Amino acid sequence: MALYIGPDSMMPIASAFAAIAGVAVMFWNRTVAIFKGIGRAIGRVAGRGN
């Protein structure tokens, strides 16, 4: 059985992604800083294992 996903069901999902992307762009510097902080935290945790 094939599952059909038409444009009428994809538009709300696309709209939600667009809203998330819009907020990320509005606060771009903070968004980049958050991801850098997450990367540093993962690096510190990974570095302890050696």
Side-chain angles (χ1 to χ4, degrees):
M1 173 187 279
L3 180 65
Y4 174 71
I5 300 175
D8 54 338
S9 60
M10 288 301 292
M11 283 308 293
I13 296 169
S15 180
F17 282 141
I20 292 168
V23 170
V25 169
M26 282 173 44
F27 300 104
W28 185 248
N29 290 334
R30 172 141 344 242
T31 303
V32 170
I34 288 170
F35 279 111
K36 283 183 180 180
I38 291 170
R40 285 189 198 116
I42 291 172
R44 281 194 297 262
V45 169
R48 290 183 191 166
N50 293 337

